[in-house]
Each structure stands twice: as C-alpha cells, then as structure tokens.
Amino acid sequence: AGLGLNRAEDVTPTDHLEMLSDYLIKLDADIYLLQEVDRNVRRSERRDQPAIFAEALGDFHAHYTKAIDLQGGEFGVAILSRWPIVDARDVLLYKPDYLDQRDVPEWYSEQRVFQIALIDSPFGAIPVGNTHLGLTEEQRVNQINEMVETIEEISVELPWIVGGDLNAEQDAPEQNARLLEGV
C-alpha cells in the first residue's frame, strides 16, 4: 500500500490510494488484512492510509500497528473490519541484527509485528491475526513460532483467521511450521 500498485512512477500517491481503495471495495470482504501500509509517510503524501481505506469501504473499523518509523511517519500493518474491533493487541516479533554484516541489506533487520484483533461479528467473536514476516527463513521460523506462542497464550477456544505477507514461497520449510499445523 505504501508504494502503490506495480510501483508505477507516472501515478501519484493519491492515484495509488484511489486505485487500492477501489480494489478493496470490489473485493467486498468483511475483513481485510493489509501489509506495507503507510501512515503520515512522505512518499505517500503524509496520508493516513488505514483511515482512508476504512472510510472508502464505508466506515469500516481499523486497527493499525506500526512496525517501523519511515520518512517522518510510520510503516506497518492494518486490520480493517466491517464489524467492531472489540480488543486489539500488538506483538513485536523476533528482530535479527544484521547491521554488522556487509552482505545483508539493512532492511533485513527491520522490526516485524504480529497484530491481533477480536472482531465482534453477527456470527460471534472472530480472533484475527495479521503480520508481515521477515526476509530470511531464520527470521520467519522464529517469528512464526512466536506467533503460535502468542495464540496459545491467548487461548481463545475459537478458530482463528491468520494471514499476511509471509515473504516465503509456498513450499518453503517454514510454511510447514507450527502455525500451519493447527494450534
């Protein structure tokens, strides 16, 4: 969401937001899990993207979680829901320190988060988790294990919806981690 669709250089950040909003409206979902969302970031004209998307969808409820500071604003993840978000929690995930390794770009050491919300739907409570995992297998395995531990600690006796940008191929070893085995 931060850079917009296909990173096209001839389209303004406002145009990107309109295109993304239109796309979300066409999906007509009850719950959206968004990653790479800007809030007050220079590159996206200091707009509050979660608020813009929530309004475009017809006054959806939004829960935003900052992962990192970026260009004077925040970069993170968001849960948007047609129904009220009655409880929310943000968990910082494993953050490696690759800053002293010359062959690894600095963004490999970015903070990652696991965002949790309890949504009050007409069908009952729905626990939802949203994340944007790290760029290496080692990061993702640690982060997925932390997510599973968090879910187990909360011990809600309901099925969870968990999604996000896992930064992994479908057949990657970490895709077989505890999170996908069922908690």
Side-chain angles (χ1 to χ4, degrees):
L3 293 175
L5 300 172
N6 301 321
R7 298 178 189 240
E9 294 182 19
D10 60 337
V11 179
T12 70
T14 298
D15 292 337
H16 283 298
L17 279 176
E18 288 176 14
M19 288 187 290
L20 287 168
S21 295
D22 289 345
Y23 179 73
L24 293 174
I25 291 166
K26 286 178 187 170
L27 288 176
D28 192 31
D30 296 319
I31 300 169
Y32 298 86
L33 306 177
L34 306 177
Q35 302 79 41
E36 300 188 21
V37 181
D38 285 356
R39 186 187 238 176
N40 304 318
V41 175
R42 185 175 58 248
R43 72 175 175 195
S44 53
E45 298 178 341
R46 304 216 180 274
R47 309 282 299 276
D48 184 344
Q49 291 181 342
I52 290 168
F53 295 142
E55 183 179 334
L57 289 165
D59 293 323
F60 265 50
H61 304 269
H63 176 62
Y64 176 80
T65 303
K66 174 186 95 167
I68 62 169
D69 293 319
L70 181 67
Q71 297 179 359
E74 301 174 345
F75 176 78
V77 295
I79 296 172
L80 304 177
S81 171
R82 181 178 311 278
W83 307 298
I85 297 172
V86 294
D87 193 16
R89 179 174 164 191
D90 304 323
V91 178
L92 297 178
L93 296 175
Y94 169 73
K95 179 182 180 292
D97 183 5
Y98 298 137
L99 296 179
D100 60 346
Q101 297 182 26
R102 295 175 193 221
D103 60 331
V104 180
E106 68 180 77
W107 61 85
Y108 274 56
S109 294
E110 285 181 359
Q111 180 64 62
R112 303 297 175 147
V113 296
F114 182 42
Q115 178 183 57
I116 300 166
L118 187 62
I119 296 174
D120 183 21
S121 84
F123 314 104
I126 303 172
V128 176
N130 183 28
T131 193
H132 183 190
L133 296 181
L135 299 172
T136 68
E137 179 181 330
E138 179 244 353
Q139 289 172 303
R140 293 186 297 268
V141 167
N142 281 304
Q143 292 163 349
I144 287 171
N145 285 332
E146 289 174 327
M147 290 166 52
V148 170
E149 289 170 13
T150 300
I151 289 170
E152 289 172 341
E153 286 171 12
I154 294 173
S155 68
V156 174
E157 298 292 326
L158 297 168
W160 280 71
I161 296 172
V162 178
D165 182 346
L166 303 183
N167 272 323
E169 297 295 326
Q170 186 173 5
D171 59 349
E174 63 272 26
Q175 295 286 34
N176 295 315
R178 291 174 48 204
L179 182 64
L180 303 178
E181 291 174 5
V183 183

